[in-house]
Amino acid sequence: MIEINIKFDRMVLAQICDTLQGLRSRLNINEISDNEESAHTSLDSLNISNILEYAKGNSSGFILYSPRAEYHISYADFGDCSLYVLMDNFQESRNFVLEMSKIDLLYGYACLPEEREHRNRVVINKDYGQHQAWVGRNFRKWLPGLYWINIIPENLVKAHNLNIDNLFDFSEYKVEKKFNNYIIECYADPSEWVRQTEKIDRICSETEGIFSKSEAVLDIVRAKSYMETSEKMGRWS
């Protein structure tokens, strides 16, 4: 499965929904639910003209389903909104990300879950037990990492003082710009991350503005107690 996570402002929710509506037939999106616990409902059976109409009647989000993917849309009046997708075809995943990159987004990525865990999951073993945590995921503090496909808006480049030209040079596959978003594809196939691990880890460690898990781990392992370890993990989250 390919994991896609796109962050966006509530102001572009209509564009997100309209894009999903436009892709509905191609992606065979046919069911919807309010959350993971509620029953799926056929979109054709609802008395709505489009997905946006459903969103306007829902205060926190919904899930769309196709035979090969799930599309989790969450939003609130305040804070960042999210489109989280699990898709089983990497070419369809790539096309989906490129289509979404036409919208004025906050941040986004696509990769295998194993790559995401390698970049942002920490497991620390201590005498008193084991600590596990996600770290570096706050895109407002730093770029969370480099993955198979990366959507990096211009304002994020400026906020983190990223040398975008250097990132272009690092990519072995493809770089392009759509509207205000830079799209960096680090490799053609998402499974290629395993072979490229050492290189990408080094780039993250050496590039200003990008989170490096190796730096976080070096700091966290110095903790002398359970509380200190937890506090350090929280600071790197």
Side-chain angles (χ1 to χ4, degrees):
M1 297 292 280
I2 300 297
E3 174 182 310
I4 302 168
N5 200 345
I6 293 171
K7 302 296 185 181
F8 61 95
D9 190 273
R10 180 67 182 262
M11 292 187 297
V12 302
L13 176 61
Q15 291 176 266
I16 295 288
C17 290
D18 286 346
T19 301
L20 287 167
Q21 182 70 30
L23 294 171
R24 183 185 163 192
S25 296
R26 193 173 87 193
L27 298 176
N28 197 18
I29 297 173
N30 51 26
E31 292 184 326
I32 195 166
S33 69
D34 288 339
N35 53 60
E36 292 180 342
E37 283 72 40
S38 61
H40 300 189
T41 302
S42 168
L43 278 168
D44 292 333
S45 70
L46 295 176
N47 186 27
I48 58 173
S49 59
N50 54 47
I51 293 169
L52 178 58
E53 186 177 339
Y54 187 92
K56 287 179 177 178
N58 190 298
S59 61
S60 59
F62 55 92
I63 305 172
L64 295 167
Y65 303 90
S66 75
R68 303 179 66 173
E70 294 183 6
Y71 306 81
H72 297 245
I73 299 94
S74 59
Y75 44 83
D77 291 334
F78 302 97
D80 302 328
C81 305
S82 176
L83 169 59
Y84 180 80
V85 183
L86 291 172
M87 193 175 288
D88 71 357
N89 181 286
F90 88 83
Q91 189 57 53
E92 285 185 3
S93 300
R94 179 182 182 275
N95 293 339
F96 180 81
V97 170
L98 294 180
E99 197 67 34
M100 284 294 168
S101 68
K102 298 175 183 178
I103 301 172
D104 189 11
L105 303 174
L106 299 175
Y107 171 67
Y109 71 86
C111 64
L112 289 169
E114 294 83 358
E115 180 176 17
R116 180 64 158 166
E117 288 192 14
H118 175 78
R119 300 266 175 265
N120 300 99
R121 186 74 175 167
V122 169
V123 178
I124 303 292
N125 292 305
K126 296 282 188 177
D127 293 340
Y128 47 79
Q130 186 183 81
H131 288 265
Q132 298 187 44
W134 288 102
V135 291
R137 297 190 297 172
N138 186 347
F139 68 91
R140 296 193 181 280
K141 291 172 66 174
W142 40 48
L143 196 70
L146 290 174
Y147 312 92
W148 171 42
I149 301 178
N150 308 268
I151 304 175
I152 310 174
E154 280 186 330
N155 58 1
L156 207 60
V157 171
K158 295 175 183 176
H160 299 320
N161 197 29
L162 293 169
N163 188 326
I164 199 70
D165 291 332
N166 280 355
L167 294 183
F168 288 176
D169 292 340
F170 291 145
S171 174
E172 288 189 358
Y173 185 54
K174 189 174 183 180
V175 174
E176 60 184 309
K177 188 177 182 184
K178 288 183 178 291
F179 300 90
N180 294 320
N181 301 313
Y182 293 102
I183 315 301
I184 299 177
E185 298 183 57
C186 290
Y187 10 88
D189 188 299
S191 63
E192 180 70 6
W193 80 270
V194 177
R195 191 179 69 84
Q196 299 277 9
T197 294
E198 186 175 336
K199 172 187 173 182
I200 299 297
D201 287 350
R202 186 181 70 254
I203 293 168
C204 292
S205 178
E206 296 176 353
T207 305
E208 179 183 358
I210 302 182
F211 171 76
S212 169
K213 191 175 83 170
S214 61
E215 292 181 21
V217 170
L218 283 174
D219 180 44
I220 293 168
V221 296
R222 297 190 187 103
K224 299 296 193 295
S225 67
Y226 179 89
M227 286 298 297
E228 187 182 0
T229 302
S230 297
E231 288 172 2
K232 283 180 178 287
M233 283 185 161
R235 289 200 297 269
W236 284 102
S237 65

